[in-house]
Amino acid sequence: MLAALPQTVATLDLRPLPHPERHRLVFVQFAALQPGEAVELINDHDPLGLRHQFDQHVPGYFTWAYSESGPQDWRVVVGKTAVHTEAPAAKAQCGCGSNGAGGCG
C-alpha cells in the first residue's frame, strides 16, 4: 500500500528573496504546518543545504520530494509527518556553511 501524500497547503517562491532570509522563512512556514500538510518550495538552485538543515533539526519529522529538478527551477514538496517539540523556526542562523553570505537556498 502506498503512503498518503501530504496535502500541499502553500507554495513558497524563494527566488525573489534575499539568500540569507530563505532558510529562516522555510522553517517558519514548516513550523506552521500540521502533520499531513506540506509546503511546495520553488528555488533557483537545488536546495541541498536546506535539506541538510532539515536532516539536522527535524530528522524523521518531514518528507522531501522533488517535483522539478532544474536546470532553471527546482520544486520541492516538504511535508510534515509529526509535530516536533523544538521549533526550528527560532534558529535564525543558516546551517549550510555560507554564513548568510548568499550561498543558502
Side-chain angles (χ1 to χ4, degrees):
M1 180 180 214
L2 294 174
L5 295 174
Q7 174 189 359
T8 302
V9 296
T11 298
L12 188 55
D13 189 347
L14 302 172
R15 297 170 295 185
L17 300 174
H19 285 268
E21 294 179 20
R22 293 180 180 190
H23 289 205
R24 183 191 59 76
L25 182 59
V26 170
F27 275 103
V28 167
Q29 182 69 45
F30 181 78
L33 296 175
Q34 296 299 312
E37 294 179 338
V39 59
E40 179 184 40
L41 308 176
I42 305 171
N43 206 3
D44 54 9
H45 64 275
D46 191 350
L48 289 175
L50 181 63
R51 171 63 192 258
H52 294 305
Q53 275 189 289
F54 268 87
D55 286 335
Q56 180 181 18
H57 297 300
V58 288
Y61 291 91
F62 73 98
T63 59
W64 184 277
Y66 288 92
S67 56
E68 185 176 347
S69 297
Q72 190 166 355
D73 294 324
W74 279 259
R75 291 178 179 262
V76 179
V77 177
V78 180
K80 184 180 260 187
T81 59
V83 175
H84 191 262
T85 56
E86 182 182 344
K91 299 177 183 190
Q93 288 291 337
C94 174
C96 73
S98 73
N99 298 324
C104 296

